[in-house]
Amino acid sequence: FNENLSLELENIEKRKTIPLTKGEWLAFFFVPVNPNWRLNPKSANQIEFERYKKFGFEKKVEQAEKARIAGILFYLLIILVAIIISSF
């Protein structure tokens, strides 16, 4: 019983430091907001983000937030460049 408990505690600690995979990071970057918010209030990214929080994946939560912010800034930059180019 003690061995199972210590294994569970070890797994809980491991969860805190597991980083996002490249695929997970790209998903949060390229789809930073829910494109179907009227039809489906929760996107796959939001569901995944909530799962990370629920199960204690602290590093994944932190990296997902940064990827979302970077994705939003990326799209804003693209829009700004498009506006500047179209004004010439």
Side-chain angles (χ1 to χ4, degrees), residues 40-70:
N40 185 5
K42 288 196 173 192
S43 71
N45 281 349
Q46 288 170 319
I47 292 168
E48 197 68 8
F49 187 78
E50 289 172 5
R51 187 180 74 81
Y52 295 157
K53 281 184 169 180
K54 179 180 176 182
F55 292 109
F57 290 96
E58 295 173 6
K59 186 160 182 122
K60 284 189 178 202
V61 168
E62 179 184 324
Q63 289 178 331
E65 288 174 344
K66 288 180 182 179
R68 279 189 63 240
I69 291 169

Side-chain angles (χ1 to χ4, degrees), residues 2-88:
N2 281 342
E3 188 175 308
N4 289 338
L5 182 60
S6 66
L7 184 60
E8 180 63 27
L9 292 174
E10 185 180 321
N11 287 336
I12 288 171
E13 286 303 312
K14 281 183 185 176
R15 280 189 208 138
K16 292 179 182 181
T17 59
I18 296 173
L20 288 176
T21 65
K22 289 179 185 177
E24 290 169 334
W25 193 91
L26 289 172
F28 282 103
F29 180 80
F30 285 114
V31 188
V33 295
N34 184 2
N36 299 332
W37 62 273
R38 289 185 182 168
L39 300 174
N40 185 5
K42 288 196 173 192
S43 71
N45 281 349
Q46 288 170 319
I47 292 168
E48 197 68 8
F49 187 78
E50 289 172 5
R51 187 180 74 81
Y52 295 157
K53 281 184 169 180
K54 179 180 176 182
F55 292 109
F57 290 96
E58 295 173 6
K59 186 160 182 122
K60 284 189 178 202
V61 168
E62 179 184 324
Q63 289 178 331
E65 288 174 344
K66 288 180 182 179
R68 279 189 63 240
I69 291 169
I72 291 169
L73 292 175
F74 172 73
Y75 284 115
L76 289 175
L77 181 66
I78 287 177
I79 291 168
L80 181 64
V81 168
I83 290 170
I84 291 171
I85 289 174
S86 68
S87 68
F88 286 115

